[in-house]
Amino acid sequence: MAELKKRKGDLAPDRVRKQGGGRKSLNVTQPGVVEALERLVDPMTRGDPESPLRWTCKSTGQLAEGLRKVDFEISASSVGRLLKEAGYSLQSNQKVLEGTNHPDRNEQFEYINTLVRRFQNSGQPVISVDTKKKELIGPFFRGGREWQPTGEPHKVRVHDFLDPELGKAIPYGVYDLTANQGWVSVGIDHDTAKFAAATIKRWWQKQGIKLYRDARELLITADGGGSNGWKNRLWKVELQSLATEIGIPIWVSHLPPGTSKWNKIEHRMFSVITQNWRGRPLISHEVIVKLIAGTRTKTGLSVQAELDTNSYETEIRISDEDMAQLRIKRAKFRGEWNYKILP
């Protein structure tokens, strides 16, 4: 108060002390602290590739410890404040990089689109196929929430380890692009080309032949890898058997590499199934089948599901002689991705 009275004439009317009073900022008391902090946060772009925190989780506590090692006096909370002032914030990874695009990617999508429209305009069946993510059977944690009586959540295990007795579920799906209907076989063994072809056969017997009694050919759109990949020889052998059994040619067009997220079955059927069983522990194969079969949308999607208890052998080798026996005709454009298998 004595100081205020003595210096009253030197102060502006809206101030109680001179400009610059109070605790000095860290930038003033510890010059270079912000630059040192940025070198720890982003060592490669800030010119310090030998930073001790380059390969560690950069929490505010670890950053403060790193600064104290180079003679700065600073706390974790002060580090957080400096980061915000410097324009930093907590960021998660963002999926936007797809890698190198195949040079024929756009042309392949246009080819598939033209082929699908031709089949649909002539009343021929078009299906999209794929395997959904494998699911562990048992009282395991599931993402999402659903309405339950207050204080009565589903009790699930802390750790998600395979239960040998309950096993796992392998949903392989078939989505009819025209009828907006789906079929899912829930396998319990292995995701093989034989399992994929068996699922398509089940769809044809349970749904396809009823919807397309006058079908003259069938078009399948599929990912480029996995059990229905374009390099998979067993996939073609099994489709040859299927084409012969149902008596019509089977056309196949594979999506270009790295574009599986645009497969119709992914965002028109599998995504809806995932929403339908959110927050539900998948405690048995029966529960999975019923949850899949209960999937409906306002746009008319309906899904049938069935458990497939068959065993499917892995590592089946197909010889060049076996491949030579196939009645396969390849398209002029990207024949490895687009082909027709005759009965």
Side-chain angles (χ1 to χ4, degrees), residues 93-120:
N93 296 161
Q94 188 176 17
K95 291 184 178 181
V96 294
L97 305 177
E98 298 183 12
T100 303
N101 292 338
H102 194 282
D104 292 331
R105 186 169 84 160
N106 188 61
E107 287 77 6
Q108 177 64 4
F109 274 116
E110 291 181 353
Y111 181 91
I112 292 175
N113 186 59
T114 300
L115 197 59
V116 167
R117 288 185 179 276
R118 181 171 72 78
F119 268 70
Q120 290 179 322

Side-chain angles (χ1 to χ4, degrees), residues 130-200:
D130 197 12
T131 307
K132 196 181 187 304
K133 182 176 72 72
K134 297 179 181 66
E135 302 288 350
L136 296 179
I137 304 299
F140 299 117
F141 174 80
R142 302 287 305 168
R145 297 181 294 177
E146 68 169 2
W147 291 102
Q148 289 281 107
T150 301
E152 298 181 19
H154 290 294
K155 301 295 192 298
V156 296
R157 295 180 184 177
V158 175
H159 302 290
D160 293 350
F161 297 123
L162 175 67
D163 187 322
E165 294 184 3
L166 297 175
K168 59 187 176 182
I170 308 171
Y172 189 93
V174 177
Y175 174 69
D176 186 330
L177 275 67
T178 307
N180 195 27
Q181 292 186 6
W183 173 272
V184 178
S185 286
V186 180
I188 62 173
D189 192 37
H190 296 99
D191 178 23
T192 69
K194 199 173 187 69
F195 172 52
T199 301
I200 297 172

